[in-house]
Amino acid sequence: MLIATLFEPPMWLTLRLAATTTLVLLLIGTPIAWWLSRTSAWFKAPIEALVALPLVLPPTVLGFYLLVALGSRGPIGAALRALGQEPLAFSFSGLVIGSVIYSLPFVVQPLQSAFESVGRRPLEVAATLGASPLDRFFTVAVPLARRAFLAAATLGFAHTMGEFGVVLMIGGNIPGKTQVLSIAIYDHVEMMQYAQAHTLAAGLLVFSFIVLLLVYGFNRRLQALHP
Amino acid sequence: MSTIRGWFKLNLGDFHLDAEFEAPGRGVTSLFGPSGSGKTTLLRCIAGLERASNSYLEVNGELWQDDLRSLFLPTHLRPIGYVFQEPGLFPHLTVRENLEYGFKRTPIDRRRIMPEQTIDWLGLASLLHRHPPSLSGGERQRVAIGRALLTSPRLLLMDEPLAALDAASKMEIFPYLEKLHVEMPMPVLYVTHSMDEVARLADHMLAIEGGRIVAAGPLSETLTRLDWPLARGDEAGTVVDAVVAGHDNQYHLTYLDFSGGRLAVPQRVTSTGATVRVRLLAREVILSIEPPLEAGIPNIFITNVVEILDISPAMTIVRLDAGGAPLLARVLRKTVAELGLQRGMWVSAQIKSVELMS
């Protein structure tokens, strides 16, 4: 039964969304975190505040503005339509954009503090040994912050899995297209279909537990290998 | 053009570095000064880790920085080795991977120093598969020195490599540093605030104070110029390279010859003919206008007074010439008056104790 839930459209969609979102988050969150950890520019604080906003805003506020911006009458939506593109609202891409913004602080903050605790010295040492800036980032900063990468990816993934308000606002609730697991469960409960709600809810519960178990187990091994 | 030449101007809050210097392009030059004098900052500027404006640096004919021509070689393109005060090994890499980090990034045609030779030289063979956190302080610093050497640097920068070590680890590292300038071809800039390290390791000296170079030159000259601050301190003295002349087994002495005469030190297992370095402290020298009872007594020298300078209301420093070797004596101002010391006078100088450095 639990295996079967994995192949239900909402579960599959949710996993796909969480995986894509996590990937995008790592790709854009890493440079942001790196920049924040190094810079002393005056606009560091405003950027930090902006990145942290999703922590305090109700997801519906975020979702609402994204809907306004991405919808066919919004600035981004209109621009896309002028280019002959589909509007992003009520699409998988729209969901990814919403989820990325919503989970950004969960990825940026652990990475930023890890980069800060790496400090300048190891990178200076690498520079004196002939490593270019990009080289020392990948061979020194990233390996020294590897546990933060694991934490950031886990948090980003988990946070996206459980997301509700943002995806409801900008994705709508289109089965097979934008209906993610949390919304599907909500729908089932609304329609008094407790058995179906159980199947999905228990599936999510067990799946999440297994993922976290693997992550923490891996984390312990990393720690044991290189204290 | 075997020389290292440059000037750096840098403002860091209250501290201003304004240092112009020239050092020989071979041997060990110590960058000596008290804490906060700017010696580490100067070294970081030379490495390109600190971006000084309006600056210039030339190393053995190669231009590394010239702000008039907008030339600034970033750190990773400067052929330097840098040993920091704390070893700074990469904890995620094994000792071997640490050693080879810089080696792999050195162009093949520029590699002069090879891993196996370095591992052998520094005695690192048994540590290669270990990770830095499991090493002792001395072992870590040995790995850091090896890692820096393996970039085959054209200039080796060392920032107080012994300061963070305990006494036992210091003694473990010292022999390698002493061998360094004999066996390694590149010039070394060695930052320290320890006169003992200067006396043991340096051939040349740049003294820095308040961000400015206050004395520069060959070690014995820099230590004994009375118009420079080093000769006035408590640790004032000279350094002499002497040759082992023989041993006295009855009194357990080793005799050392230098241009000024013969020194006797407690016996050391050193073969005759070897060169050793000794330090003669100004406060250990006693002056007398009586000639010695007989010629050739160890530790008593006939010297000529070159310069006399009062360094406090009570103390006077006297610069002497002992057969061509400079010698400093710190005596009471009263003694100078009583002996009637004057420039050009011949006096006998007795040295109470001699510090053997190597």
Side-chain angles (χ1 to χ4, degrees):
Chain A
M1 182 189 79
L2 288 174
I3 303 287
T5 25
L6 272 176
F7 300 98
E8 298 250 346
M11 184 70 187
W12 180 235
L13 182 74
T14 307
L15 285 177
R16 205 153 60 89
L17 177 64
T20 313
T21 302
T22 307
L23 196 69
V24 175
L25 274 172
L26 287 177
L27 287 178
I28 67 169
T30 306
I32 294 174
W34 179 252
W35 179 80
L36 283 173
S37 74
R38 301 284 123 175
T39 189
S40 48
W42 65 267
F43 49 92
K44 176 186 175 178
I47 300 283
E48 274 182 309
L50 211 59
V51 168
L53 261 187
L55 289 175
V56 293
L57 281 184
T60 41
V61 171
L62 202 64
F64 171 65
Y65 281 115
L66 279 170
L67 182 63
V68 170
L70 300 178
S72 52
R73 273 183 229 114
I76 298 170
L80 283 173
R81 200 169 51 174
L83 292 169
Q85 299 283 321
E86 294 276 309
L88 287 168
F90 310 118
S91 72
F92 183 74
S93 311
L95 286 187
V96 172
I97 291 171
S99 309
V100 164
I101 292 172
Y102 185 48
S103 297
L104 196 58
F106 291 86
V107 170
V108 169
Q109 288 183 352
L111 290 182
Q112 183 187 343
S113 72
F115 287 146
E116 276 164 2
S117 72
V118 166
R120 283 178 191 280
R121 182 46 60 85
L123 295 148
E124 287 185 350
V125 171
T128 66
L129 293 168
S132 67
L134 206 62
D135 184 1
R136 47 194 194 250
F137 176 76
F138 282 110
T139 59
V140 176
V142 170
L144 290 180
R146 64 194 178 280
R147 291 179 62 201
F149 273 96
L150 188 68
T154 312
L155 284 171
F157 190 87
H159 196 235
T160 308
M161 288 282 291
E163 187 182 323
F164 185 82
V166 176
V167 288
L168 187 64
M169 294 296 277
I170 96 160
N173 186 4
I174 307 166
K177 196 172 167 208
T178 62
Q179 190 193 50
V180 297
L181 203 64
S182 55
I183 299 175
I185 295 171
Y186 180 75
D187 273 358
H188 285 309
V189 174
E190 284 276 272
M191 291 182 276
M192 307 294 270
Q193 298 165 332
Y194 275 41
Q196 284 94 328
H198 262 313
T199 312
L200 292 178
L204 186 60
L205 192 79
V206 172
F207 176 80
S208 304
F209 180 75
I210 291 171
V211 168
L212 290 177
L213 194 66
L214 290 175
V215 166
Y216 288 119
F218 186 59
N219 199 8
R220 267 188 54 165
R221 275 195 47 208
L222 272 184
Q223 209 172 352
L225 274 179
H226 308 300
Chain B
M1 284 218 300
S2 183
T3 178
I4 303 163
R5 207 156 62 86
W7 55 85
F8 290 98
K9 291 186 202 317
L10 185 69
N11 290 328
L12 295 170
D14 286 343
F15 177 77
H16 304 290
L17 180 74
D18 186 357
E20 184 173 351
F21 65 91
E22 183 160 357
R26 62 177 60 183
V28 177
T29 298
S30 75
L31 202 53
F32 175 80
S35 336
S37 57
K39 49 197 192 302
T40 294
T41 308
L42 179 56
L43 203 68
R44 290 173 58 83
C45 285
I46 293 170
L49 290 171
E50 217 70 65
R51 184 73 170 92
S53 59
N54 192 12
S55 299
Y56 178 92
L57 177 64
E58 180 194 314
V59 177
N60 286 340
E62 284 177 41
L63 203 55
W64 290 7
Q65 186 166 346
D66 184 356
D67 287 301
L68 285 178
R69 287 195 250 168
S70 307
L71 176 83
F72 177 82
L73 225 51
T75 303
H76 69 276
L77 296 179
R78 298 187 183 201
I80 52 163
Y82 200 123
V83 179
F84 293 83
Q85 185 171 335
E86 78 289 4
L89 300 181
F90 300 128
H92 61 293
L93 301 179
T94 62
V95 167
R96 182 181 273 284
E97 288 164 337
N98 266 284
L99 287 169
E100 288 178 350
Y101 189 93
F103 180 73
K104 284 183 187 159
R105 287 164 175 78
T106 305
I108 291 166
D109 58 318
R110 275 211 9 237
R111 292 176 186 171
R112 303 270 179 277
I113 300 171
M114 294 296 154
E116 297 320 314
Q117 144 201 7
T118 308
I119 288 164
D120 213 39
W121 190 68
L122 287 163
L124 299 172
S126 61
L127 308 175
L128 292 176
H129 301 292
R130 287 169 62 186
H131 276 88
S134 70
L135 305 180
S136 72
E139 289 170 335
R140 281 182 216 179
Q141 199 56 286
R142 252 152 68 205
V143 176
I145 291 169
R147 184 174 65 172
L149 288 175
L150 278 169
T151 62
S152 303
R154 277 181 237 165
L155 171 63
L156 183 61
L157 306 171
M158 303 186 102
D159 186 4
E160 308 212 33
L162 298 176
L165 299 177
D166 56 60
S169 303
K170 267 185 199 162
M171 295 321 292
E172 175 191 332
I173 302 288
F174 243 126
Y176 296 107
L177 296 180
E178 281 171 341
K179 278 194 279 180
L180 199 66
H181 73 293
V182 183
E183 296 179 22
M184 296 294 165
M186 79 295 277
V188 181
L189 280 182
Y190 187 99
V191 164
T192 184
H193 65 263
S194 151
M195 188 41 94
D196 185 54
E197 287 172 33
V198 172
R200 278 171 190 261
L201 301 171
D203 310 309
H204 203 85
M205 158 116 113
L206 294 172
I208 184 167
E209 246 179 65
R212 293 170 170 275
I213 303 289
V214 292
L219 188 60
S220 59
E221 185 197 320
T222 323
L223 292 177
T224 53
R225 285 253 319 240
L226 299 194
D227 53 339
W228 284 339
L230 298 165
R232 296 175 215 159
D234 191 48
E235 287 196 287
T238 49
V239 164
V240 168
D241 288 319
V243 178
V244 177
H247 300 280
D248 178 338
N249 290 326
Q250 189 189 348
Y251 291 106
H252 293 271
L253 295 175
T254 294
Y255 293 119
L256 310 170
D257 283 351
F258 75 112
S259 60
R262 172 163 286 196
L263 294 160
V265 298
Q267 194 165 26
R268 272 287 190 100
V269 188
T270 322
S271 54
T272 306
T275 303
V276 293
R277 184 169 269 198
V278 291
R279 190 170 168 205
L280 309 171
L281 286 169
R283 59 170 189 254
E284 300 287 338
V285 175
I286 299 166
L287 298 183
S288 151
I289 45 171
E290 304 289 329
L293 291 175
E294 57 178 295
I297 302 174
N299 295 358
I300 299 182
F301 312 105
I302 308 291
T303 63
N304 192 252
V305 176
V306 179
E307 207 177 344
I308 301 172
L309 182 78
D310 294 341
I311 51 174
S312 77
M315 302 303 294
T316 298
I317 189 103
V318 182
R319 182 178 160 148
L320 307 158
D321 179 280
L327 198 63
L328 290 183
R330 196 173 58 167
V331 293
L332 294 174
R333 203 161 67 89
K334 186 166 186 284
T335 310
V336 174
E338 284 171 358
L339 296 179
L341 282 190
Q342 277 175 23
R343 200 184 271 213
M345 263 175 80
W346 292 93
V347 292
S348 60
Q350 179 172 9
I351 296 168
K352 283 187 287 178
S353 77
V354 179
E355 226 180 308
L356 196 59
M357 309 262 57
S358 52

